[in-house]
Amino acid sequence: AESGLQEAEYFLGLIHYNGQGVIQDYEDAYNWFVKAAHHGSSQAQNQVAMLLLEGLGVEKNETKAVHYFRMAAEQGDADAQCNLGVLIMKGRGVPQSDKEAVEWYRLAAVQEDAAAMANLGSMLLAGRGVAQNDKEAMRWFREAAAQGEPMALFHVGLMYELGRGGVAQCEEQAKQWYSMAAEQGFPKAMINLWLLNLPLFLRIILSSKCWKEFGFSSVVFVFAAYVAQFHI
């Protein structure tokens, strides 16, 4: 009976959240989600946390958001596990801990949560909270990329550009992966794709090493001279 009650309460929360057949009202949605959350619905607990995090229908409170994410995460909700990992990684509403963030990402990743797989890959690539491991990072990036996750698509491209993660360096492959991420509006992918399409000498000029050695004015002058030739 309680299961049916929490489902009904969660459904009413969704109706008010989305404005389906009623005027959209985040406060009413929050109240229904809270009722369902306290009856044990992990989906509702995750929704309550999201509303608290964004300050929709309720005063923004990251500490309470962490509390509700943790309630859902401990029930095995993959979305909540990933969301909790993000807040712990950033130290929002909870003490910062890369190690604990990785633990939550991994729990969600084994449930095939794409965002968690991409985040776990990033932590492995950087060696944050876990031993640095390019090949394992690439494995998670590929699995998330298979679901179309933009950050993962970008990172697969990055691995090909740099020749890391057990793959040979290949700019054409990098461009393909960057393009897929860029189509979803991922900014870093757009920038890297643009850079890869520039002539090699310009890429060298725009590198951080070149800026340090020759200074801002010299780099800007050479780049402007190159661009100017197309506007004569």
Side-chain angles (χ1 to χ4, degrees), residues 34-93:
V34 167
K35 289 179 181 180
H38 289 171
H39 283 120
S41 168
S42 62
Q43 290 178 301
Q45 289 159 358
N46 192 58
Q47 288 287 352
V48 169
M50 291 300 297
L51 290 172
L52 284 163
L53 196 61
E54 297 172 13
L56 293 175
V58 63
E59 185 177 350
K60 184 174 181 178
N61 189 318
E62 292 184 347
T63 302
K64 286 184 70 175
V66 168
H67 169 72
Y68 280 98
F69 277 139
R70 196 179 294 277
M71 287 174 67
E74 288 174 351
Q75 291 197 66
D77 186 286
D79 284 340
Q81 289 169 343
C82 182
N83 291 331
L84 180 59
V86 170
L87 292 184
I88 292 171
M89 182 186 71
K90 295 181 177 180
R92 293 175 57 186

Side-chain angles (χ1 to χ4, degrees), residues 1 3 29 31 43 60 89 94 98 101-102 105 120 144 177 181 212 225:
S3 174
N31 291 332
Q43 290 178 301
K60 184 174 181 178
M89 182 186 71
V94 65
D98 286 344
V102 166
Y105 288 151
L120 179 57
W177 289 100
K212 291 177 182 177

Side-chain angles (χ1 to χ4, degrees), residues 198-215:
L198 288 175
L200 180 59
F201 84 94
L202 272 182
R203 281 190 253 163
I204 295 171
I205 288 170
L206 292 172
S207 70
S208 58
K209 182 178 179 181
C210 197
W211 284 74
K212 291 177 182 177
E213 290 186 4
F214 299 103

Side-chain angles (χ1 to χ4, degrees), residues 148-212:
E149 209 289 326
M151 185 171 76
L153 291 166
F154 164 78
H155 275 102
V156 173
L158 183 65
M159 293 297 222
Y160 274 107
E161 182 181 356
L162 302 176
R164 292 174 60 178
V167 299
Q169 193 275 340
C170 179
E171 288 193 358
E172 287 308 309
Q173 282 276 4
K175 287 179 183 179
Q176 290 178 25
W177 289 100
Y178 285 153
S179 292
M180 287 188 281
E183 285 172 3
Q184 296 191 51
F186 196 76
K188 289 182 180 179
M190 295 177 185
I191 293 169
N192 283 22
L193 185 61
W194 177 75
L195 288 170
L196 281 183
N197 285 317
L198 288 175
L200 180 59
F201 84 94
L202 272 182
R203 281 190 253 163
I204 295 171
I205 288 170
L206 292 172
S207 70
S208 58
K209 182 178 179 181
C210 197
W211 284 74
K212 291 177 182 177

